[in-house]
Amino acid sequence: MDRLILVDSDTLLFSSASVAETRSIEVLHEPTGAKKEFTNRTEFKELMKSKGKEITQDYKITDKQTPEPVENCLHLIKSSAESILERYPFDEVVFLAGDEKNFRLELPLPIQYKANRKNMIRPYWLKEAHGYFRKKYKARKAISYETDDLLSILANDAIKQDREVIILVPDKDARQTIGAKIGNYGTPERELVQIKDFHEVSLENGKAKSFGVPWICLQVCLGDMTDGFKPTQLAGIKYGEYRDWE
């Protein structure tokens, strides 16, 4: 049990709950009372464009969710979790999922942290997914900060104890955890990366990529629009991460 495997499971739960439902939109033309269902907004816009019609305020769009049985969602979660456990049968595996009272929500930013997600429709079974996961796999919940923070804290504590640490996470935030190895549980065939103090900065599809200190610097300069945070909002300057690099 000298090796510690830390799994950021928020995306795992979100994806499993998302797959276990069907989404669509219902469009109501108020003047006539006519209704029609579409797979998504793009399908509706393309139909209107093909007919040479303009989308006016007369059209009211309602999002619809049709969930499958909750067992389908829980089965997907179990399959993913068991696959990770089978890969590391002799190691301590700690699953992390969910947060509460995140201090970032109270920060005096130009726009509230993650305010861009307020109108996002959450998967129907997401709450049940988290409850099941915490009960069955003893997943740890972050209190007063985020799952990413808890992961980094646990990783650094273990590294100080000279333990080998492997982080399995699908997103990019954990790339700054110096001393750990990082991989993606969704692509287990890829080789783990040992995070050192400094790595080269590269470009992948126009996006900057690195690890360690360079990655921390990139995050500070570029922010993360998935969280609705962009440092350039304060500076009043627009710049991109790929300009003048090649």
Side-chain angles (χ1 to χ4, degrees):
M1 303 291 284
D2 287 336
R3 192 161 65 167
L4 175 63
I5 316 298
L6 296 171
V7 187
D8 185 337
S9 310
D10 281 337
T11 301
L12 185 156
L13 300 181
F14 193 95
S15 299
S16 298
S18 296
V19 170
E21 68 181 28
T22 301
R23 292 191 181 185
S24 60
I25 63 168
E26 181 181 81
V27 180
L28 167 66
H29 186 238
E30 289 189 317
T32 62
K35 292 182 181 179
K36 185 174 178 62
E37 191 166 321
F38 297 87
T39 304
N40 49 47
R41 284 168 171 77
T42 300
E43 183 182 8
F44 170 55
K45 290 177 181 178
E46 289 178 349
L47 175 66
M48 295 293 282
K49 184 178 180 180
S50 68
K51 293 185 175 183
K53 293 184 177 181
E54 182 182 355
I55 300 176
T56 66
Q57 294 182 351
D58 291 337
Y59 294 92
K60 302 300 180 184
I61 299 176
T62 303
D63 290 286
K64 299 181 67 176
Q65 288 176 279
T66 306
E68 299 175 4
V70 67
E71 291 78 12
N72 293 2
C73 169
L74 304 185
H75 174 73
L76 291 171
I77 294 170
K78 182 179 179 181
S79 296
S80 297
E82 293 297 329
S83 175
I84 294 170
L85 292 171
E86 289 172 6
R87 206 178 316 143
Y88 300 98
F90 304 111
D91 301 302
E92 179 184 2
V93 179
V94 177
F95 292 101
L96 313 172
D99 61 64
E100 186 178 322
K101 299 178 181 178
N102 185 351
F103 77 93
R104 290 176 177 83
L105 298 176
E106 305 300 325
L107 294 176
L109 301 171
I111 300 174
Q112 186 186 38
Y113 186 67
K114 291 188 176 179
N116 57 321
R117 303 188 189 185
K118 282 186 176 180
N119 296 323
M120 185 177 70
I121 300 174
R122 299 169 71 81
Y124 188 88
W125 295 121
L126 187 59
K127 183 178 179 180
E128 287 76 7
H130 274 268
Y132 166 81
F133 197 64
R134 281 196 296 273
K135 182 177 180 180
K136 184 170 181 62
Y137 295 101
K138 305 296 186 292
R140 295 188 56 173
K141 186 177 184 180
I143 306 297
S144 79
Y145 39 72
E146 292 189 329
T147 306
D148 298 327
D149 301 315
L150 179 57
L151 183 146
S152 294
I153 291 169
L154 295 176
N156 283 294
D157 286 347
I159 290 169
K160 290 177 182 177
Q161 298 170 13
D162 294 325
R163 297 183 67 183
E164 181 182 357
V165 177
I166 293 177
I167 295 171
L168 299 179
V169 57
D171 61 40
K172 57 188 181 300
D173 290 334
R175 293 177 185 172
Q176 62 190 23
T177 314
I178 298 169
K181 293 180 180 178
I182 188 170
N184 186 341
Y185 54 75
T187 53
E189 69 281 359
R190 292 187 179 180
E191 187 176 352
L192 299 172
V193 175
Q194 177 70 57
I195 304 177
K196 301 173 292 186
D197 290 326
F198 290 92
H199 292 254
E200 290 186 0
V201 179
S202 61
L203 286 174
E204 291 186 4
N205 299 319
K207 295 292 183 180
K209 179 180 179 180
S210 190
F211 300 88
V213 174
W215 182 247
I216 297 174
C217 295
L218 281 166
Q219 290 284 76
V220 169
C221 293
L222 301 174
D224 190 343
M225 285 310 294
T226 61
D227 294 331
F229 177 67
K230 192 75 172 175
T232 54
Q233 290 174 321
L234 295 173
I237 299 172
K238 294 182 179 181
Y239 57 82
E241 56 192 286
Y242 57 87
R243 187 174 297 172
D244 299 325
W245 279 30
E246 294 181 343

